[in-house]
Amino acid sequence: MSEAEQVPASAPEAAAVLDALNATDSNGTEALNATAKFVATPEGTALAYGSLVFMALLPIFFGALRSVRCSKSKELGENDYDSGFRNSADMPETITSRDAARFPIIASCTLFGLYLFFKVFSQEYINLLLSVYFFVLGVLALSHTMSPLMSRIFPDSFPNKQYQLLFTQGSGESKEEIVNYEFDTKNLVCLVISSVVGVWYLLKKHWIANNLFGLAFALNGVELLHLNNVSTGCILLGGLFVYDVFWVFGTNVMVTVAKSFEAPIKLVFPQDLLEKGLEASNFAMLGLGDIVIPGIFIALLLRFDVSLKKNSRTYFYSSFLAYIFGLGLTIFVMHTFKHAQPALLYLVPACVGFPVIVALFNGELTEMFRYEESSPEEAAAKDDSSESEKKDQ
């Protein structure tokens, strides 16, 4: 996940939950078409899936760019890059190979748990609880996403005051920080705008409000979830490749959850927009997991490009084009065979295979797999050890 937004617990669990909630575009679309008995026109179908592909590319492209700036800030041990509330939750979470290996298990347990919940408890009450939960997360994620844009829109003369929200526990030497948010007037403006969108989503469940939150979740995920190396990315994508294929082809669990779950964890676009306008109700959809999971791998390759200190972004663009190819192939196969398709079945080979072939051609495959990023904790530990060595000398 997103999951990405204000990341709950830890980044691996957040992203795993996001992918567990993921349902491919075909899952929901086929179910909705069967229910509504609506036959979309070729123009409506083309517009819907073209829009979904375009929307999927936005958080990957801009999230990857922001991840570079975020990574540089992490290396400097700072948290002042202009992307929203300045606090520890804005710093990237590094995913290790151990985390990546646990992803499919956590995602499967979460998905099956949701399936059981929907079978046992009232769908109405579960969705009400989830709506409130995602309302809070969506407002924070959208605020974080909008902040850099607002910083450029407001003139320098704008009275931008600084604020701090601090909650502590205990007193004296045992005092411990629970919450420590630093923000300014521009952040408050973003929060107000995001809250308006949140209320709109909460009351109307309109597909545009859903997409605004979904795009914010996806962009935050790509920006703030960092793979530590390419091998970890391959483990993650390979594990979720098996996960996606099993839960789509092997059971009806993912389809059931996709039909029952009402939350902004997917991008949607109406296939009957041309006939019914903004009140259209027959949606094609794409799960956020099919955006964020390949997206964090593509963002890693962009940071690898930057580390090469060349005036090119070869691996980023090759993986970005591979994602477009894989997503297009998913849609093509779905409509050819009229059956739900796990998008990662096509996205994973494309997003991993294309950059590897390019690296082989450029003679940089070893260098690619040796590229390593450290977590803020590891970087701090290295700095402490180097300082202690200097003192000893």
Side-chain angles (χ1 to χ4, degrees):
M1 58 205 178
S2 16
E3 293 90 278
E5 64 272 20
Q6 300 294 319
V7 183
S10 66
E13 280 77 4
V17 168
L18 183 63
D19 193 69
L21 302 181
N22 163 47
T24 60
D25 51 347
S26 54
N27 294 344
T29 303
E30 296 299 326
L32 286 172
N33 281 346
T35 302
K37 295 181 180 179
F38 172 83
V39 179
T41 63
E43 295 81 4
T45 301
L47 177 62
Y49 284 106
S51 299
L52 284 178
V53 171
F54 176 73
M55 285 192 292
L57 297 178
L58 291 178
I60 292 178
F61 185 84
F62 291 105
L65 293 178
R66 287 174 60 156
S67 78
V68 173
R69 185 165 46 173
C70 182
S71 181
K72 290 179 180 178
S73 182
K74 176 182 70 175
E75 291 172 2
L76 295 173
E78 301 171 350
N79 194 21
D80 59 353
Y81 67 99
D82 189 19
S83 62
F85 295 86
R86 289 171 289 281
N87 58 81
S88 59
D90 286 340
M91 293 300 287
E93 292 283 349
T94 302
I95 301 172
T96 64
S97 57
R98 182 180 178 183
D99 298 325
R102 290 161 45 197
F103 256 68
I105 300 172
I106 297 172
S108 296
C109 291
T110 306
L111 180 66
F112 191 66
L114 283 169
Y115 174 78
L116 293 179
F117 262 89
F118 281 116
K119 288 292 185 181
V120 175
F121 299 103
S122 171
Q123 180 177 325
E124 179 183 355
Y125 293 116
I126 295 175
N127 280 319
L128 178 61
L129 181 63
L130 290 172
S131 294
V132 175
Y133 174 70
F134 279 99
F135 164 78
V136 176
L137 291 182
V139 168
L140 293 174
L142 191 57
S143 298
H144 182 269
T145 302
M146 291 172 53
S147 187
L149 177 63
M150 287 298 175
S151 298
R152 290 169 175 79
I153 290 177
F154 285 109
D156 295 335
S157 58
F158 181 79
N160 192 33
K161 297 182 179 180
Q162 302 294 320
Y163 303 93
Q164 183 178 22
L165 182 63
L166 178 63
F167 288 97
T168 61
Q169 178 179 343
S171 60
E173 295 181 357
S174 62
K175 183 181 289 188
E176 181 183 358
E177 286 187 2
I178 304 300
V179 176
N180 188 359
Y181 281 114
E182 296 181 15
F183 54 97
D184 54 30
T185 308
K186 295 177 183 177
N187 297 139
L188 288 177
V189 173
C190 294
L191 192 63
V192 170
I193 296 173
S194 301
S195 298
V196 172
V197 176
V199 172
W200 181 26
Y201 171 77
L202 204 59
L203 297 178
K204 300 294 185 180
K205 293 291 192 299
H206 198 277
W207 61 273
I208 295 179
N210 174 92
N211 286 348
L212 289 174
F213 274 175
L215 289 169
F217 286 146
L219 190 145
N220 277 270
V222 175
E223 176 188 1
L224 298 176
L225 294 172
H226 288 198
L227 296 164
N228 66 344
N229 55 49
V230 174
S231 296
T232 298
C234 293
I235 294 171
L236 174 67
L237 291 175
L240 291 176
F241 171 91
V242 176
Y243 155 86
D244 213 22
V245 171
F246 172 77
W247 288 111
V248 173
F249 287 148
T251 72
N252 69 335
V253 171
M254 188 175 284
V255 176
T256 302
V257 172
K259 288 162 58 179
S260 306
F261 200 88
E262 293 181 5
I265 45 80
K266 53 185 175 285
L267 299 180
V268 300
F269 199 91
Q271 298 184 77
D272 52 347
L273 180 69
L274 300 177
E275 292 83 6
K276 298 182 180 179
L278 295 179
E279 299 302 318
S281 58
N282 187 278
F283 297 102
M285 59 185 71
L286 179 67
L288 294 190
D290 295 331
I291 301 172
V292 175
I293 300 303
I296 60 177
F297 186 75
I298 294 171
L300 172 67
L301 293 177
L302 176 59
R303 297 193 296 276
F304 171 64
D305 276 324
V306 173
S307 73
L308 294 177
K309 297 180 180 179
K310 298 179 180 179
N311 293 324
S312 66
R313 299 291 181 264
T314 305
Y315 298 103
F316 171 66
Y317 288 126
S318 64
S319 58
F320 193 73
L321 291 174
Y323 180 84
I324 298 174
F325 170 78
L327 195 55
L329 184 60
T330 304
I331 296 171
F332 172 77
V333 173
M334 183 192 70
H335 282 283
T336 300
F337 293 97
K338 307 298 181 184
H339 190 279
Q341 299 295 316
L344 293 181
L345 174 63
Y346 308 96
L347 291 173
V348 169
C351 291
V352 174
F354 279 40
V356 167
I357 292 173
V358 172
L360 279 171
F361 183 78
N362 292 339
E364 296 175 331
L365 185 63
T366 302
E367 193 171 357
M368 174 190 284
F369 277 88
R370 283 180 179 174
Y371 174 70
E372 184 90 20
E373 291 185 359
S374 59
S375 65
E377 293 79 8
E378 291 173 344
K382 288 180 182 178
D383 292 339
D384 292 340
S385 62
S386 61
E387 288 179 5
S388 60
E389 288 176 2
K390 289 180 182 179
K391 289 180 181 179
D392 293 338
Q393 292 175 356

